[in-house]
Amino acid sequence: MEEPAIREFEMSLSDGPSDDDDEFPSTLPTDGSHSGSIRKGCDPLAQTQRSKLQHRRARINQQINKEMRMRTGAENLFRATTNNKVKETVALELSFVNSNLQLLKEELEELNSSMDVYQTDSEAVNVPMIPLGLKETKEVDVTVAIKDFICEHYGEDSFLYDKEIKELMELRQAMRTPSRNQSGLELLMEYYNQLYYLDQRFFSAQKNLGVHFHWYDSLTGVPSCQRALAFEKGSVLFNIGALYTQIGARQDRSATAGIDRAIDAFQRAAGAFNYLKENFSNAPSLDMSSPSLCMLVRLMLAQVQECVFERITLTTQDTHFTSQLRLAQEAARVSDVYLLVQQTMTQPLMKDYVPFSWVSMVQVKSEHFRALSHYYAAVALCDHMLLAGGEEEEEEAEKAFLQCHASVPAGPQLSQVLQDPEKRRKLGKAHLRRAVIRHEEAMRVHSLCKILRKMDILQDVLSVTHKRSLDKYSELDREDDFDEIAEAPEIQSHTHQKPDVIPPNFSIVKVTDIFQRLGPLSVFCARARWGPMRVICLNKREGGLGLTLRGDSPVLVAGVVPGGWAEEAGLREGDYIVAVDGKDCKWAKHGEVVHMLKSCSDRGVEISVVTLHSHDTQQVERRAVMLSLCSDKENTRHRLLSGAKGQSSASLLNWNRKKKREGSTITKRLGSAFSLSFGSIRDTEAMY
C-alpha cells in the first residue's frame, strides 16, 4: 500500500533562503518564445574510466532491483501458502535471492570505494579524497500524463506542445550523465530550476499527475519510487552535491590554485547536502536521510580542513619555531574533524550503511594527521632554536608553545624547556615517539581494508611519512640515553581558516519556462481554477465597446459598463482576455490588446476569455491580483517570487508549501469571479 501523500518526500519552507537570496529561475522572454537548452550531458557510450564505473553501477542497481522484486514476491507467497512443500521450496529460493543480494551489494560497495577513479592524474603524492557517486535513475516518460493534463486542465490541444514535451524529456535524459565540470553542474541546476515550473504547471494538490520517479540509493543501490516531484528535486540536488565531491577530488593539490578549487568544491558539496538536510523530510532512501546527510556534510568539511592544511604546508616558507607549531596545530585540527566523522559513521543507523573502506579511510586519516601534529611539534623543538637576545620573541615562543599543547608538559617549566637544548631534545623525542605510534596505527588500519591496500598512492603517503618520523627519531636517539622518555602531551587543535558551508546558488543558471506558451504562470498554473473558455462576439457600435481594461500578460477586464455592448455580449468583470480573433494574447501587453480591439472590422471582434474562480488558493489569488496591479510584468513577477520581507523566498522549491498566508485585503468577490475595487487602482486603466 502506498504511503499517504503527507508522508511523501517533502520540503519545509520554514528554513529556506532569506528574501535577499536571489535563488529563483528567471523567465527571460515575454512573448512565449523558447529557444531550448544549450547544455548537454556526456556521451553515454564514451568509454572513460568514470563512465565505465557509472555503467557498472547502473547494471548492479538494475540487478538489485530485480532481486528485490523476486524476494518480495517470494515472501508474499511464503506468507500466503499453507502447503508445507511449497513453503520449503520458497524458503530455499529466498536463501538464494538473499545470497545474490549480498553479493551484489558487496560488488556495489567496492565500486563506491573506487576513489582512485576520481582522483587527479597529477604525479604529486597526496592523500586521496573521498568522492561520492551519482544517484542513478530510470527513464521516465511524462508524455501521456502531461498531454492529458494540458487537455483536461488548460483546455488546449496537447499535440501543440509535442516540442516542449520532447525538450523536457531530452533535458532529463541529459542530466543523467553530467560532465565532471562546471557545465555538468549547470546542466543539473538547469533541470532543477525547470522542475519549479513543472511543479507550478502540472502538479496540484487536487490531482496527482500519476508519474512515478525511480531513483537508486547512491551507496546501496536499493531502489525507491515516489510520485512526489519533491523526490525528483531532492535527488537532483543530491547529485549536485555528489558532482561537487568528484570535482573536488580531481583537483591537482600540488599547487595552491588546485587546493583553492578543491576547497571551494567541497564547501559547495557540503552546502548542497546541508540544504537538502534542512529543507527535506520523509526521505524514501537512506542516502537522503538526515543522519546520512549529516555524515556527508561533516565528511566534506573534514576534507576542506585537510586542503587548508595542505595549502598552509605549501605556503609556509619560513622555518621559524612558531610556524612549525602552527603546522602542528593545523594537523591536529584535521585529525579532530576526521575523528568526528568517524564517530558519525559508526552511529547505529550508519554503521551498516557506510562502506567499510570509507570508515577505514577516515580512521587512517585521523591517525595520520595526529601523527603529523606530533612530528611538526618535534621539528619545532629540535630543529629551530630561538634567536638570542629577544625578550619579545621568547615571550611569543612561550605563549605559542603553551597554546600548542592541550596540557602543560610534565617536568620543568616551559621557559626552561625552551632555553635548554637537551630538554627540548627529550620533549621532541617524546613527540616523535607518539608520532611513530600513530603512523603505525594508521598503517595497521590501512592493511585491514582490502580496497585501501589496492590504493598505491595512499600506501606511498603513509610509508613516506612513517619513515620520515623514524629517521628523525633515530637522529635524536643516543646510545647513552637511558632516561625514561616522558609522555608528550597531545597537540591542541587550532585552525586559521574554518570551513564554510556554501549553499547552492540556483540563480547562476538562468532558465526559461519550457511550457510558457501555456501563459503567464501567475494565472495559468495547476493550482488555479477557472471556468471554460468563452468566446465573446463584440460588434463595433457608437459609444465604444463598453469595457475597462487593466494590466497586461494577460490583460484583465477591470469593469464593464452596465447596459453596454460588452455586458450584453456576456463579458464580465474579472475576465482575462486570452485571444482576440483567434490570435493568442496571453503574453500580450496592454497596448497590443487595445490595438487589436480597435483594429477590428465592421463585423466586430471575437474575444476569448476565461474567468478565475474565487475558491482558488489564497496564493493564486494574491499573485493574480498583484499581477493586475502592475503594468511591468517582469518586475511584478520578480516581486511575487521573491516574496514580502519576512517571508520565505524558497518558492523555487515550492512543494507541500505550508499555507501561512495572510488574507488579501484588497480583493472582493463578485459571484464566481474576483477583481479589485476601483479605489485600489495604482496604474492607468482605460475604457473602450
Side-chain angles (χ1 to χ4, degrees), residues 330-389:
E330 289 284 353
R333 176 65 178 176
V334 179
S335 176
D336 284 351
V337 292
Y338 272 118
L339 181 61
L340 180 61
V341 175
Q342 181 187 348
Q343 293 172 354
T344 308
M345 288 181 172
T346 54
Q347 294 296 318
L349 190 60
M350 294 288 100
K351 187 176 182 181
D352 298 326
Y353 174 70
V354 179
F356 177 67
S357 59
W358 283 25
V359 181
S360 300
M361 173 68 88
V362 167
Q363 188 176 355
V364 165
K365 288 191 174 188
S366 179
E367 298 292 343
H368 171 71
F369 284 100
R370 181 58 63 180
L372 289 182
S373 69
H374 286 289
Y375 171 79
Y376 282 111
V379 170
L381 287 166
C382 302
D383 291 357
H384 306 291
M385 302 300 295
L386 299 178
L387 296 177

Side-chain angles (χ1 to χ4, degrees), residues 273-274 277 289-299 344:
F273 295 136
N274 190 63
K277 177 175 70 73
S289 64
S290 183
S292 176
L293 293 172
C294 181
M295 179 271 295
L296 290 174
V297 170
R298 290 180 176 178
L299 176 60
T344 308

Side-chain angles (χ1 to χ4, degrees), residues 61 64 104-105 108 112 217-222 286 352-353:
N61 286 332
I64 289 176
L104 287 171
K105 289 183 178 180
L108 184 61
N112 290 327
D217 189 286
S218 176
L219 297 182
T220 64
V222 175
L286 196 54
D352 298 326
Y353 174 70

